[in-house]
């Protein structure tokens, strides 16, 4: 019997994708962004759902009739799991640094309350609440937001969150990217199961570059940028087409996982246009293995006219390591995601960013390119989500 889930703050469906891959059944997705909703509908159709237009609710979760709308959508079916991660800009350390009030007045601080309201109404067996690590240090009126969230989630659920253990890194689950996220798992109090059982079942498969030798035992080496994107067609800035005929070599475990057999179309591998000065910066940094500071020091001719340019404003993603955390800022510019091949002199395409997030090659991102980048940067990597889904499925089946 398939387990049913609802996805709140669904984005383009990275978390859902992991659950789909483990055979879970989606009852509803709730998301406010239009392009992300179109992506969710396209993906539901891909999986053979007949009612994507009804199941994807393009709606503001804070509205009073949210629960009525969800009830109407799921038509009395039982909800086994609720998943989701409220938008995290207000919790992120970057967001707080940019806002003179430290994001204190940001309404997004309270979106978790809408999550809890839906959770306590439907009373699923298990929930997954995903967020950025900045959540651990964010405060509101002098108290830590995380404590308040855990207290609210814990009213009707067993919650056993440990900030040492339960900040998980996507790189440990086969994603070619360092991405650390807070994962809070809750189990309904009447069940003979604990959150720790589920955490213990989220099995690391790969070691990451920060691990000590004694932690690597039995784990595979992390997946690198090279493993994920080196085979993709060579592009210069401004080149590429919306779809091209392309067959992956599928010559490593990662590619076998994310490229469906027989897939011979490559979507959204199109480079942005860059100004000539930036192209030179990208090429010099990639060729010499430089940081941006080293570039400024060694190539005065490539200095930036803007005074406020930080050391991490331009970053090359190196071939032999996982990528740094893919962020939604990609939609503004790709300077923090420079391609490691100096001869290409450009930033990452939508498809490259999608692969570094472990989205399968047949995953269609709807909307203009800026929206596609935003969706990818905000998503939970599907392979990471799948590791969580796998443990929940195993534990609920045993229960």
């Amino acid at each position: 019997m398939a387990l049913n889930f609802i996805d709140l703050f669904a984005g383009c469906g990275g978390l859902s994708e992991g659950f789909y891959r483990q055979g879970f059944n989606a009852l509803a997705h709730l998301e406010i962004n239009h392009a992300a909703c179109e992506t969710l509908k396209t993906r539901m159709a891909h999986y053979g759902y007949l009612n994507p237009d009804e199941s994807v609710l393009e709606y503001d979760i804070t509205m009073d009739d949210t629960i009525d709308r969800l009830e109407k959508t799921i038509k009395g079916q039982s909800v086994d799991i609720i998943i989701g991660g409220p938008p995290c800009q207000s919790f992120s350390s970057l967001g707080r640094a940019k806002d003179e009030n430290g994001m204190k007045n940001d309404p997004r601080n309270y979106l978790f309350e809408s999550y809890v309201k839906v959770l306590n109404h439907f009373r699923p067996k298990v929930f997954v609440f995903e967020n950025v690590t900045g959540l651990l240090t964010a405060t509101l009126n002098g108290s830590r937001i995380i404590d308040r969230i855990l207290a609210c989630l814990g009213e009707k659920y067993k919650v056993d969150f440990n900030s040492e253990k339960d900040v998980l890194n996507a790189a440990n689950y086969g994603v070619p990217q360092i991405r650390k996220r807070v994962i809070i798992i809750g189990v309904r109090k009447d069940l003979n199961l604990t959150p720790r059982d589920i955490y213990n079942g989220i099995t690391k498969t790969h070691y990451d570059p920060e691990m000590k030798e004694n932690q690597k035992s039995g784990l595979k080496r992390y997946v690198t940028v090279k493993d994920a994107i080196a085979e993709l067609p060579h592009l210069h800035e401004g080149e590429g087409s919306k779809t091209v005929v392309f067959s992956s070599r599928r010559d490593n475990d990662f590619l076998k996982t994310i490229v469906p057999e027989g897939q011979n179309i490559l979507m959204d591998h199109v480079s942005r246009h860059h100004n000539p000065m930036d192209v030179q910066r990208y090429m010099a940094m990639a060729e010499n293995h430089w940081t941006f500071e080293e570039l400024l020091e060694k190539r005065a001719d490539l200095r930036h006219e803007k005074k406020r340019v930080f050391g991490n404003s331009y970053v090359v993603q190196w071939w032999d390591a996982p990528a740094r955390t893919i962020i939604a800022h990609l939609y503004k510019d790709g300077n923090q995601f420079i391609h490691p091949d100096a001869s290409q002199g450009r930033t990452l395409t939508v498809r490259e960013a999608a692969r570094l997030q472990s989205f399968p090659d047949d995953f269609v991102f709807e909307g203009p390119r800026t929206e596609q980048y935003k969706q990818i940067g905000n998503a939970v990597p599907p392979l990471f989500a799948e590791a969580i889904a796998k443990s929940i499925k195993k534990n609920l089946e045993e229960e």
Side-chain angles (χ1 to χ4, degrees), residues 111-238:
L111 283 172
F112 74 87
E113 293 175 349
S114 300
Y115 181 103
V116 173
K117 193 171 151 188
V118 175
L119 178 72
N120 289 346
H121 175 80
F122 286 104
R123 304 289 306 276
K125 298 182 175 88
V126 173
F127 73 77
V128 179
F129 181 103
E130 177 269 349
N131 226 289
V132 290
T133 54
L135 180 64
L136 301 175
T137 51
T139 57
L140 205 54
N141 307 326
S143 60
R144 296 193 327 156
I145 291 180
I146 181 77
D147 295 334
R148 192 167 154 192
I149 290 175
L150 292 171
C152 290
L153 290 170
E155 278 172 22
K156 297 192 163 85
Y157 282 80
K158 294 182 254 189
V159 176
D160 176 20
F161 176 75
N162 176 329
S163 59
E164 301 287 303
K165 290 185 197 164
D166 306 329
V167 173
L168 306 184
N169 185 349
N172 296 133
Y173 307 94
V175 179
Q177 179 193 167
I178 301 296
R179 191 183 193 90
K180 294 177 182 173
R181 288 293 182 263
V182 167
I183 301 293
I184 303 172
I185 291 171
V187 176
R188 207 171 60 209
K189 287 182 175 174
D190 62 324
L191 295 186
N192 193 20
L193 182 65
T194 70
R196 199 47 54 198
D197 294 329
I198 295 174
Y199 283 120
N200 292 341
I202 305 172
T203 315
K204 287 189 171 80
T205 50
H206 296 69
Y207 62 82
D208 63 71
E210 291 173 7
M211 278 186 172
K212 299 184 176 75
E213 277 309 313
N214 63 349
Q215 297 172 308
K216 294 179 181 177
S217 167
L219 299 178
K220 295 185 250 192
R221 181 174 182 260
Y222 46 80
V223 184
T224 65
V225 170
K226 188 173 193 173
D227 296 330
I229 68 170
E231 65 160 8
L232 293 175
H234 190 288
L235 298 177
H236 292 119
E237 66 90 23

Side-chain angles (χ1 to χ4, degrees), residues 285 290-292 311-318 324 334-339:
M285 286 175 71
W290 284 343
T291 62
F292 189 49
N312 67 353
S313 300
Y314 287 71
V315 183
V316 180
Q317 302 305 313
W318 305 113
R324 61 183 296 176
N335 294 336
Q336 296 179 36
F337 297 91
I338 299 167
H339 197 287

Side-chain angles (χ1 to χ4, degrees), residues 39-56:
T39 298
L40 287 166
K41 289 175 191 173
T42 299
R43 197 61 181 168
M44 285 192 89
H46 168 88
Y47 277 109
Y49 285 84
L50 302 174
N51 58 344
D53 286 339
E54 288 168 42
S55 304
V56 175

